[in-house]
Amino acid sequence: MFAKIKTALLLGIEAYLVTLEIDLARSGIPCFRMVGLAEGAVKESKDRVFTALKNCGFKIPPCRITVNLAPAHIKKEGSAYDLPLALGILCANEQLPTTIFKDSLFVGELSLNGELSPIPGAISIAMMAKDLGIKRLFLPSKNAREASIVKGVNCFGMSSLNSTVEFLLGKKETLPIEPDLEALWSKREDFYLDFMEVKGQNHAKRAIEIAAAGGHNILFIGPPGSGKTMLAQRIPTVLPLLEFEEALEVTKVYSVAGLLQDKTIITTRPFRAPHHTISDAGLIGGGRYPNPGEVSLAHKGVLFLDELPEFKKHVLEVLRQPLEDGRVTISRAAMSLTYPAEFMLVAAMNPCPCGYLGDKKHVCTCTPAQVQRYKSRLSGPLLDRIDLHIEVGAVPYKDLKQTSGGIDSSAMRQRIEEARKMQLDRYKSLPFSTNSKLYGKWLNEFCLIGQKEHNFLEKAVNNLGLSARAYTRVLRIARTIADLEGDKDITISHLAEAIGYRSLDRNFLG
């Protein structure tokens, strides 16, 4: 007998349709054969499935079983094929009617006693099912709530193989999961940190407001204890709240990485802070079958690299592509995958190895050679991709004794959202929405300046030795400052403030 059942394949964060074809022949020597480029866990599914079928009370007579995973030219990996394979074998053995599989898709990993274990990428599979017009999605109960946020497909959470068979035969009633999106969405503003708690550092807060308004990258330079990490941790509280489509993108990445845990959807912008001992594969992503790295887990949020010079140099250099393109491509012999990586880079570093170079209250113990060696760990091309370089000094006692830090995160976010709205309106017909992505002809069009501004900028470029990339960064920052002020045109004051946020061009690279 022959059976056909739909399931899904994950490649990166996208899901693709796979058709499982099972042929059961009672003639010949009993055997099991799987074709269609099955790898790893897929090959092992035979033992899991047959043991689960036995422990659930199903009997499969000795026969020749041939399984085809179509399309056959794409490698299949993962354990999500267990449930459809078990159901397909039962159907081919005439224990289930073929009609029950119509307009349905099945995914799930089976334990040896027939229980269903969660799988990665459930939301991607649900979105693929919706696009293909599939009406019903059967998956492990722990994945059902996550997948159910995709409207247009009924998601049925199943606890075991037996419960799935009983439902398909009409012996047990199970309703599709209906999430309370309104309740989930109301948690977007549940922040436990606030800029009100940061005392002093008004210059740094202003720079953060500019960076968040234009989507710019930012680097803090200052001695230990000056509040660099404290400032960075609060940046997500002033970024515009996630839109639903953005939340789906972020949730897909976390689902594929297996990091969604008990959450239904990611409602706040991610904040990732990997340790400086991380490898390039951990930062960018990798493995035999590439998994998303920290840059992708920070998609639509913040990637914070503390003690920036302590990261291995080759690890930092691999950041160039995602910083420019907003995505990262990982190529392996088996496949090449692209993950989204549109994040705001926030970094922090000391001015020297001991941390007290230029500090008025502490003596720097570093030699000039040690300082130069420390600074040389950061390449010029990488620094050029960081828009704002902010010097963060020690907080004076008069600021520490204040009861609060002044402006709170909600007020900062309101101004940032107003500036972002101006950018959305300005770039509504273009493939980007923030000033940080301005380049080429669009930079010339939207950062148009007068002759006086050109003369001022020319002197700054010549005197400070700014690179071509630094020049474009200054224009982008100036455009954002003008947006925050509600000004249509970029003036000398905007340019002067923007240049003031490029401190490394003045005293670091020279």
Side-chain angles (χ1 to χ4, degrees):
M1 296 296 293
F2 176 80
K4 185 183 289 188
I5 186 169
K6 294 185 181 72
T7 185
L9 160 73
L10 276 178
L11 289 177
I13 64 168
E14 301 299 333
Y16 299 89
L17 182 67
V18 171
T19 302
L20 214 65
E21 299 173 334
I22 301 99
D23 181 73
L24 191 151
R26 302 185 188 278
S27 60
I29 300 174
C31 66
F32 180 93
R33 188 179 182 191
M34 182 179 287
V35 296
L37 290 183
E39 297 283 332
V42 185
K43 289 182 178 179
E44 296 172 351
S45 63
K46 169 194 168 184
D47 296 322
R48 288 194 301 273
V49 168
F50 277 96
T51 304
L53 286 169
K54 181 194 71 172
N55 290 333
C56 288
F58 299 104
K59 293 183 179 180
I60 305 297
C63 54
R64 291 173 58 89
I65 299 177
T66 304
V67 178
N68 178 43
L69 301 168
H73 68 282
I74 301 176
K75 290 187 178 181
K76 321 297 189 304
E77 179 58 68
S79 56
Y81 304 101
D82 291 2
L83 176 62
L85 177 57
L87 294 174
I89 290 173
L90 292 175
C91 183
N93 195 42
E94 299 181 336
Q95 294 178 342
L96 289 176
T98 58
T99 53
I100 61 177
F101 296 152
K102 185 180 180 182
D103 293 331
S104 300
L105 187 142
F106 301 83
V107 289
E109 175 185 335
L110 285 173
S111 62
L112 297 184
N113 63 355
E115 293 181 352
L116 282 170
S117 302
I119 58 166
I123 187 173
S124 299
I125 294 169
M127 294 176 76
M128 180 269 292
K130 175 187 175 182
D131 293 339
L132 295 178
I134 295 172
K135 303 299 183 184
R136 301 190 302 175
L137 172 61
F138 294 85
L139 71 173
S141 54
K142 291 185 178 179
N143 292 122
R145 195 163 297 280
E146 165 199 346
S148 66
I149 63 175
V150 179
K151 298 297 183 183
V153 57
N154 292 321
C155 297
F156 295 90
M158 295 294 160
S159 60
S160 66
L161 175 61
N162 271 332
S163 65
T164 307
V165 171
E166 289 173 359
F167 175 81
L168 292 173
L169 292 176
K171 297 179 180 179
K172 179 181 178 180
E173 185 177 355
T174 301
L175 296 176
I177 301 295
E178 292 290 341
D180 189 351
L181 282 177
E182 190 172 323
L184 291 170
W185 217 233
S186 66
K187 298 179 181 178
R188 287 191 301 164
E189 296 188 64
D190 287 351
F191 294 110
Y192 301 102
L193 301 174
D194 197 288
F195 271 102
M196 180 72 76
E197 302 156 351
V198 181
K199 300 173 184 178
Q201 305 297 10
N202 293 327
H203 175 67
K205 291 178 187 176
R206 168 66 173 171
I208 287 171
E209 193 171 309
I210 294 168
H216 304 287
N217 304 316
I218 186 170
L219 170 64
F220 298 117
I221 310 149
S226 57
K228 302 186 295 294
T229 302
M230 189 177 188
L231 288 163
Q233 289 173 337
R234 284 156 178 76
I235 290 178
T237 68
V238 300
L239 292 173
L241 298 177
L242 275 178
E243 299 295 334
F244 185 70
E245 292 301 321
E246 291 179 316
L248 285 180
E249 286 184 45
V250 177
T251 304
K252 283 170 69 175
V253 176
Y254 275 73
S255 177
V256 167
L259 298 177
L260 203 56
Q261 297 174 348
D262 295 330
K263 294 182 180 178
T264 302
I265 186 172
I266 303 294
T267 57
T268 55
R269 295 189 183 272
F271 180 85
R272 304 294 298 184
H275 193 261
H276 61 76
T277 56
I278 193 171
S279 65
D280 52 355
L283 187 63
I284 297 297
R288 184 184 176 192
Y289 292 90
N291 292 315
E294 291 291 337
V295 296
S296 297
L297 295 174
H299 182 56
K300 298 297 181 182
V302 173
L303 177 66
F304 176 50
L305 302 183
D306 201 3
E307 304 295 343
L308 187 64
E310 300 299 331
F311 285 79
K312 296 181 181 67
K313 192 166 185 175
H314 72 275
V315 172
L316 292 178
E317 293 306 307
V318 297
L319 283 172
R320 293 191 194 182
Q321 182 205 1
L323 283 175
E324 289 291 333
D325 302 336
R327 63 181 184 275
V328 59
T329 301
I330 307 166
S331 298
R332 294 292 183 269
M335 64 185 67
S336 180
L337 296 177
T338 298
Y339 287 107
E342 189 179 325
F343 58 89
M344 177 180 172
L345 176 64
V346 180
M349 62 177 286
N350 296 327
C352 67
C354 78
Y356 294 112
L357 180 66
D359 192 281
K360 296 179 181 178
K361 296 183 179 180
H362 297 85
V363 177
C364 176
T365 60
C366 305
T367 65
Q370 288 175 321
V371 175
Q372 183 57 37
R373 192 159 49 245
Y374 180 76
K375 293 177 177 179
S376 65
R377 295 178 187 175
L378 305 179
S379 68
L382 176 64
L383 290 173
D384 275 346
R385 287 169 168 81
I386 300 177
D387 301 352
L388 291 89
H389 312 149
I390 310 303
E391 294 180 353
V392 182
V395 183
Y397 182 77
K398 66 180 180 64
D399 290 334
L400 289 175
K401 70 179 183 180
Q402 300 297 323
T403 56
S404 73
I407 188 171
D408 61 13
S409 293
S410 61
M412 292 176 67
R413 189 198 306 146
Q414 184 176 355
R415 291 200 297 267
I416 288 165
E417 287 179 339
E418 290 173 359
R420 285 281 184 109
K421 186 177 184 303
M422 293 178 65
Q423 294 167 59
L424 281 172
D425 293 340
R426 185 188 301 134
Y427 309 133
K428 59 185 175 182
S429 59
L430 299 177
F432 53 86
S433 60
T434 60
N435 293 329
S436 64
K437 302 301 181 184
L438 280 171
Y439 62 92
K441 63 180 182 181
W442 293 310
L443 182 73
N444 296 328
E445 179 180 350
F446 297 111
C447 295
L448 191 65
I449 56 177
Q451 189 57 49
K452 287 192 302 182
E453 287 76 18
H454 269 298
N455 294 338
F456 174 81
L457 196 51
E458 182 180 5
K459 290 179 181 178
V461 169
N462 293 334
N463 293 338
L464 300 176
L466 300 181
S467 68
R469 186 174 281 112
Y471 163 79
T472 63
R473 293 296 192 268
V474 167
L475 285 177
R476 292 175 183 176
I477 297 167
R479 177 69 270 169
T480 301
I481 295 171
D483 289 343
L484 280 169
E485 302 299 324
D487 295 333
K488 181 180 179 181
D489 298 322
I490 297 174
T491 65
I492 289 178
S493 64
H494 301 145
L495 291 170
E497 185 177 0
I499 292 170
Y501 296 127
R502 299 286 301 182
S503 63
L504 295 190
D505 294 321
R506 298 193 301 274
N507 56 28
F508 188 90
L509 297 176

